[in-house]
Amino acid sequence: MGTDLDGVCWAVAECFGTGESFDIKNCSPLTLAYIGDAIFELIVRTYLVTDKERPVQRYHNKCSSIVNAVAQKNFYAKIEPMLTEEEKSVYRRGRNAKAYTVPRHTSPHDYRIATGFEAVCGYLYLTGQMTRLLEIVRHIKEE
């Protein structure tokens, strides 16, 4: 079950003439987390902007309270039971990846879990599974 959203990654790649040699299997877990962080933040920002009108600073503050390592660690605990074995494998790769820096106000433990969560988001986006990613985010919101 897919929608036009599922092909958004490849539409971007096609627009710029990239992606023909791209292979998700060769993607490092930190690369998955890098794009996953961006796509998760875009989903959160889109939700906030379409929810109700607010001053931009309030959008930023609310988004920052959702898109951070501690919140993402808690999100992972909520979604873990609904993940497929493949998604759990991507999570473990992201969690176990060697990050060379950890933000000041975050524990290494929380940061590793958040990196795994972001890797799952990136994996789903890059494999054209936006519908599945939105299903997971919707589950987080409902909890």
Side-chain angles (χ1 to χ4, degrees):
M1 165 173 102
T3 66
D4 289 340
L5 287 174
D6 288 332
V8 72
C9 170
W10 297 111
V12 172
E14 186 176 286
C15 176
F16 292 102
T18 60
E20 287 184 20
S21 63
F22 178 77
D23 184 0
I24 192 77
K25 293 179 188 101
N26 295 330
C27 226
S28 81
L30 293 179
T31 299
L32 295 176
Y34 171 75
I35 194 74
D37 176 56
I39 197 66
F40 181 67
E41 183 165 346
L42 181 60
I43 291 168
V44 170
R45 285 182 179 211
T46 302
Y47 164 71
L48 293 173
V49 167
T50 59
D51 182 41
K52 67 180 180 181
E53 185 66 29
R54 312 173 178 168
V56 173
Q57 185 63 41
R58 290 191 54 208
Y59 286 135
H60 172 74
N61 293 343
K62 183 66 175 166
C63 186
S64 296
S65 74
I66 297 170
V67 182
N68 66 67
V70 173
Q72 289 173 339
K73 174 193 76 161
N74 295 332
F75 296 156
Y76 180 74
K78 292 177 183 178
I79 66 165
E80 194 271 334
M82 70 182 291
L83 295 181
T84 66
E85 286 306 313
E86 184 176 4
E87 292 162 350
K88 288 177 183 178
S89 175
V90 170
Y91 164 77
R92 284 188 297 271
R93 285 181 55 220
R95 181 197 63 202
N96 295 334
K98 175 66 175 150
Y100 294 98
T101 60
V102 174
R104 248 183 311 194
H105 304 293
T106 305
S107 76
H109 177 260
D110 290 354
Y111 189 71
R112 290 178 64 197
I113 293 171
T115 301
F117 172 80
E118 292 170 345
V120 172
C121 294
Y123 172 79
L124 292 172
Y125 173 71
L126 289 174
T127 56
Q129 299 182 67
M130 276 301 290
T131 302
R132 173 66 175 151
L133 178 55
L134 293 173
E135 176 186 332
I136 288 170
V137 173
R138 191 174 306 114
H139 181 77
I140 292 167
K141 183 187 174 300
E142 291 171 356
E143 286 291 311

